[in-house]
């Protein structure tokens, strides 16, 4: 499997409206996209930092995974997303190597990327996303 770069870091926040001014006014980044991902029950806000993006995640529902994460662990780093070439092959390979897949097949995520998550129990506590831009 070939990881080309870290595509984004996902950060769980209670409110995009409250968090975005920190990234814009303190760090001087520009929010270039806000997008709802309905099936994940999140609203996302994106910033570019060189080749890496920051993805802020706000839950749109009290029973969403991000709402549950914040309730249990507080706001903060939620996942790391690695860009791969050939996501289906990559998933088969990590599964063969004993890593527990949350998504057995890629699905569409924010910005139209093909994405799949690996379970943090298998990845030393870091919820890990593999993604590929097939747009
Ligand atoms: N990072 C690290 N560990 C995490 C975690 C995270 N983001 N989320 C949950 N965990 C841990 C919990 O702390 C818990 O650990 P303990 O057993 O030691 O307490 C364990 O994983 C199980 O967690 P849980 O609260 O019972 O939560 P669930 O099993 O309901 O769900 C997970 C956990 C990772 C399977 C679920 O969040 C998931 O399917 N995530 C993938 C989808 C997702 O995160 N979508 C939102 C982002 C979408 C996007 O970027 O577009």
């Amino acid at each position: 499997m070939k990881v080309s770069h870290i595509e984004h870091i996902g950060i769980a926040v209670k409110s995009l409206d409250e968090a975005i001014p920190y990234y814009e006014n303190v760090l001087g980044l520009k929010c270039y996209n806000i997008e709802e991902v309905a099936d994940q029950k999140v609203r996302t806000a994106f910033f570019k930092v060189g080749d890496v993006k920051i993805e802020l995640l706000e839950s749109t529902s009290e029973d969403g995974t991000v709402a549950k994460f914040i309730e249990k662990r507080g706001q903060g780093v939620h996942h790391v997303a690695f860009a791969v070439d050939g996501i289906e092959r990559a998933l088969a390979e990590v599964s063969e190597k004993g890593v527990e897949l949350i998504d057995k097949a890629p699905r569409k995520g924010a910005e139209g990327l093909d994405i799949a998550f690996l379970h943090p129990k298998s990845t030393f506590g870091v919820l890990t996303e593999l993604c590929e831009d097939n747009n």
Side-chain angles (χ1 to χ4, degrees):
M1 162 168 114
K2 169 127 178 45
V3 171
S4 56
H5 61 286
I6 290 181
E7 211 282 335
H8 65 265
I9 297 171
I11 297 174
V13 297
K14 287 182 184 161
S15 156
L16 290 186
D17 288 347
E18 285 173 18
I20 287 171
Y22 163 71
Y23 286 88
E24 292 201 319
N25 302 335
V26 180
L27 296 183
L29 304 173
K30 175 98 191 83
C31 175
Y32 70 90
N33 183 24
I34 292 186
E35 184 181 340
E36 183 162 345
V37 185
D39 72 328
Q40 294 294 299
K41 299 183 179 170
V42 290
R43 219 157 62 92
T44 62
F46 284 92
F47 306 80
K48 283 189 180 128
V49 190
D51 284 343
V52 181
K53 296 168 191 161
I54 298 288
E55 178 190 37
L56 300 185
L57 299 156
E58 173 196 82
S59 188
T60 55
S61 155
E62 274 175 21
D63 66 351
T65 53
V66 168
K68 279 170 60 185
F69 174 86
I70 290 176
E71 195 182 300
K72 252 191 162 172
R73 302 165 68 121
Q75 300 183 100
V77 174
H78 179 263
H79 65 267
V80 177
F82 295 97
V84 294
D85 293 332
I87 188 165
E88 297 201 2
R89 259 181 293 119
L91 280 177
E93 192 181 321
V94 295
S95 176
E96 235 167 64
K97 289 181 174 169
V99 173
E100 185 184 334
L101 306 182
I102 292 173
D103 300 298
K104 302 221 166 8
R107 54 189 169 76
K108 284 289 172 198
E111 303 201 304
L113 298 183
D114 292 320
I115 68 165
F117 283 94
L118 313 182
H119 203 286
K121 275 194 286 188
S122 294
T123 57
F124 299 89
V126 178
L127 176 60
T128 299
E129 179 182 331
L130 302 183
C131 60
E132 184 172 36
D133 188 352
N134 287 315
N135 290 311

